[in-house]
Amino acid sequence: MHTGLIIIATALLSSIFTVAIGWLIVRRFWQQELEYRLRQLHDDIGRTVETRVRRAVTESLNDTIKPSDMLRETTWKAAKSGTDLISDSVSVLLGKWRRQPSDDF
């Protein structure tokens, strides 16, 4: 009976030790992979922001004086562009696929 308890205790301790070592190794490599992906996403988001800002500035400089309706529409487009940018950034950080634009009925 005493020998059986020693065998069970040894097996449990061995399993716990193996899981702990495996968890530390996986966590270390997983953390490095996450940091690498985060740096890549940061660079991608930076390039996206730069492109969208350049496009918005170029469009606003190309337009002449607008009537109030056109100004309202441009403001709406700028706000929508900003929310799309934030939404895309959050989706990328959460690992979701980018939403494809859909037509609302």
Side-chain angles (χ1 to χ4, degrees), residues 21-63:
I21 295 296
W23 179 74
L24 290 173
I25 291 171
V26 168
R27 182 175 161 217
R28 179 178 176 196
F29 290 116
W30 187 48
Q31 185 175 4
Q32 288 176 350
E33 178 67 25
L34 286 177
E35 288 174 357
Y36 175 73
R37 287 186 65 206
L38 186 60
R39 275 186 255 121
Q40 283 182 328
L41 292 173
H42 183 267
D43 293 342
D44 290 344
I45 290 170
R47 283 190 294 272
T48 302
V49 168
E50 182 180 358
T51 302
R52 288 186 181 186
V53 167
R54 283 180 190 223
R55 186 180 319 138
V57 169
T58 303
E59 287 175 0
S60 67
L61 291 176
N62 287 337
D63 294 337

